[in-house]
Amino acid sequence: MKNIGAASLSENRVSDYNEITLRKLPASHSISIRDLNVFIGNNHILNDINLTIPEKSITCIIGPSGCGKSTLLKTLNRMHDETPDVRIEGEVYVDDENIYGNNINVIDIRKKMGLLAQRPCPLPMSIFDNVAYGPRIHGLKKRKAINQTVIQYLQYVGLWDEVRERIRTSASSLSIGQQQRLCLARGLAIEPEYILGDEATSALDPISTRKIEEMFLKLKEKYTVILVTHTLRQAKRIADHIVFMYMGRIIESGPTEEFFNNPKDKLTKDYLSGSFS
């Protein structure tokens, strides 16, 4: 494929991609969890989880270490399929389909979920190929369409201007914050319906964290965003909805302002006051 860079794209051609037009998502893209229990070996990790995730908003899952936050997140894209000795009971409805029902195409479920991990994991290839990888394996073949997709999503995460001169260099040459935005672009390029983040800013400096948070606020205009975070300040800054977990159970959930200003459960009050973490 011909190299892409500032020298190989005219200013007029680059300007063609300045207005981002993303795929129109389904009218309803919601998640509903009913009577979910997760066991790993003899350990009961999640206990009777019932939860509805509001669409086109940011839901932050908070709670002390080991309370089941990441385990809950992994149930949403069937990542527990990769873990031995896991047993899952209950139902998880994504777009009105129980993803733990019979005859479910796991690949289709995972394609709906854009996952941003705690530490960025760029593929061992160029910046360009990281973003192009997903569309290619899902059947996008035309060079012009691939080029447009790469530029579009790098622009969307605010990375294009920073990397356009070195688009064919290794992704590992980027800073950690840039790598995380690249991974977000890579996830968006397969056109998911949901964005999952598992401590997605914990390894980043404050400036990079702010950029990623700004991305999440932008993304909720089109996507349902679900984030695990240990940082109460972050949850308060960006979340529309809070889910507080403790010892594998949901203790309390609700709109952010109500949750922080008027918590109902004593455990919630203790956690917010810093009595335990």
Side-chain angles (χ1 to χ4, degrees):
M1 179 183 292
K2 184 178 179 181
N3 284 351
I4 289 183
S8 63
L9 287 175
S10 70
E11 289 304 314
N12 287 338
R13 184 175 176 188
V14 172
S15 68
D16 290 342
Y17 304 127
N18 284 341
E19 293 297 326
I20 303 301
T21 304
L22 301 181
R23 177 175 64 93
K24 186 176 180 181
L25 297 173
S28 175
H29 43 286
S30 60
I31 294 177
S32 179
I33 302 171
R34 303 177 188 175
D35 301 320
L36 177 68
N37 287 270
V38 176
F39 304 83
I40 301 179
N42 295 323
N43 297 315
H44 195 170
I45 307 300
L46 295 183
N47 199 317
D48 293 331
I49 301 296
N50 287 277
L51 180 66
T52 297
I53 304 292
E55 62 180 333
K56 289 188 178 180
S57 62
I58 299 176
T59 295
C60 279
I61 306 172
I62 64 172
S65 297
C67 70
K69 301 185 299 296
S70 295
T71 299
L72 177 58
L73 199 70
K74 289 178 181 178
T75 64
L76 303 181
N77 63 353
R78 294 281 301 259
M79 287 303 292
H80 290 302
D81 292 15
E82 314 299 326
T83 306
D85 301 323
V86 172
R87 186 172 87 257
I88 295 177
E89 300 174 354
E91 300 169 323
V92 177
Y93 285 90
V94 175
D95 299 339
D96 299 320
E97 179 181 45
N98 179 15
I99 65 172
Y100 288 96
N102 297 324
N103 303 317
I104 294 298
N105 188 320
V106 177
I107 293 175
D108 287 346
I109 295 300
R110 289 178 180 166
K111 189 175 183 292
K112 291 183 178 184
M113 305 290 176
L115 178 63
L116 203 58
Q118 184 171 5
R119 293 193 64 85
C121 298
L123 301 173
M125 53 185 66
S126 71
I127 296 166
F128 178 92
D129 287 331
N130 262 267
V131 184
Y133 181 80
R136 280 173 175 157
I137 65 174
H138 287 289
L140 192 63
K141 301 296 184 184
K142 293 184 178 179
R143 184 174 65 180
K144 182 178 180 180
I146 292 173
N147 292 350
Q148 180 176 357
T149 296
V150 170
I151 295 170
Q152 172 176 299
Y153 287 103
L154 287 175
Q155 284 184 326
Y156 196 67
V157 301
L159 199 54
W160 170 247
D161 288 339
E162 298 174 29
V163 304
R164 59 190 296 174
E165 301 288 350
R166 48 179 174 146
I167 194 73
R168 290 291 178 178
T169 62
S170 172
S172 63
S173 66
L174 299 174
S175 70
I176 295 297
Q178 288 174 324
Q179 288 182 23
Q180 192 67 303
R181 282 185 285 152
L182 176 65
C183 290
L184 181 56
R186 187 180 72 206
L188 293 175
I190 63 169
E191 299 184 332
E193 295 176 25
Y194 305 87
I195 305 299
L196 311 180
D198 192 357
E199 297 286 353
T201 62
S202 64
L204 306 183
D205 61 84
I207 293 175
S208 296
T209 294
R210 186 177 71 248
K211 287 182 178 180
I212 293 293
E213 289 181 354
E214 289 170 353
M215 286 297 99
F216 287 141
L217 291 170
K218 182 178 179 181
L219 287 168
K220 75 174 184 177
E221 297 174 5
K222 295 181 179 290
Y223 302 92
T224 298
V225 182
I226 307 161
L227 307 175
V228 165
T229 180
H230 274 294
T231 308
L232 291 178
R233 290 191 302 276
Q234 181 177 72
K236 199 169 187 178
R237 280 195 301 269
I238 67 174
D240 301 293
H241 191 82
I242 302 290
V243 177
F244 170 52
M245 295 187 66
Y246 183 73
M247 299 292 286
R249 295 179 180 273
I250 293 178
I251 304 303
E252 188 169 341
S253 65
T256 300
E257 185 174 354
E258 179 182 339
F259 179 88
F260 281 102
N261 294 335
N262 188 29
K264 305 294 192 300
D265 194 277
K266 183 180 184 303
L267 268 174
T268 308
K269 295 175 182 177
D270 289 344
Y271 182 73
L272 295 179
S273 70
S275 297
F276 63 95
S277 61

